[in-house]
Amino acid sequence: YTVTSHLIVTFTLSMTVWVGKLLLGLRNHGLKLFGMFLPQGAPFAMAPFFVFVELIGFVIPMISLAVRLFANLCAGHVLLKVLFGFCWTMMMAGGILFIAHFIPLSILFLLLGLETAVALIQAYVFTLLTVLYIGDCYHGGH
C-alpha cells in the first residue's frame, strides 16, 4: 500500500493546504477575510444562515481534497488485491487452473499500469485544486 491510500495521510495533506490558504488570506486581507462569510447586501435576518453556508463552503474543500485522493487510490489497491487473490487461488488449485491463471495475471499487470496513471492524475488534480483554492483566497474569490 502507498502512504496516500490511508485517509489520515490525505486528510493531513489537505489540512496543510487549508491552513496555508487561511494564513495566506489573513496575511493579505487581514480580518476582512472573514467578511466573505456574510455577502454584502444580505438581509440581517438571513445573516446566520449565510454565515453557516459560507463556513461550510470554506471547510468542504479540505474534506473533498482528502476524500478524493484517498478514495481513488484505495479503490485501485482493493481491485488489485482482489484480482491478485483470485490469481493466487487459481494457481494453488493446480491442473488446468494453474495454466489459466496467467490470463487474470496478465490483466493484473495491465491494471498496475492503469493504477500508476491514476496516481499521476490524482497528484495533478490535487495540485491543481490546491493552486485554485489558494488563488481563490489570495484574490478574494467571491
Side-chain angles (χ1 to χ4, degrees):
Y1 276 85
T2 63
V3 176
T4 52
S5 66
H6 299 285
L7 186 58
I8 190 68
V9 173
T10 59
F11 187 73
T12 303
L13 287 172
S14 66
M15 179 72 107
T16 304
V17 169
W18 188 80
V19 168
K21 175 180 86 164
L22 181 63
L23 291 176
L24 185 65
L26 284 173
R27 189 185 82 187
N28 290 332
H29 302 290
L31 292 178
K32 287 190 264 181
L33 176 72
F34 297 112
M36 72 177 185
F37 294 129
L38 185 60
Q40 288 183 346
F44 184 73
M46 295 291 292
F49 175 72
F50 280 126
V51 168
F52 178 71
V53 168
E54 291 291 331
L55 190 62
I56 288 174
F58 191 68
V59 174
I60 286 293
M62 173 184 56
I63 297 167
S64 72
L65 271 177
V67 171
R68 180 183 298 112
L69 185 60
F70 163 74
N72 284 310
L73 294 180
C74 192
H77 281 36
V78 168
L79 176 66
L80 291 176
K81 190 168 184 170
V82 167
L83 193 56
F84 179 76
F86 179 64
C87 291
W88 182 262
T89 304
M90 286 178 72
M91 187 177 74
M92 288 293 119
I96 191 80
L97 287 178
F98 178 79
I99 299 194
H101 95 280
F102 288 110
I103 295 169
L105 189 64
S106 62
I107 293 171
L108 181 69
F109 280 108
L110 291 174
L111 285 176
L112 281 172
L114 181 66
E115 182 71 14
T116 303
V118 166
L120 291 172
I121 291 169
Q122 288 306 310
Y124 173 73
V125 167
F126 190 90
T127 304
L128 182 69
L129 288 175
T130 297
V131 168
L132 287 173
Y133 294 152
I134 289 174
D136 189 37
C137 199
Y138 185 77
H139 296 297
H142 298 292

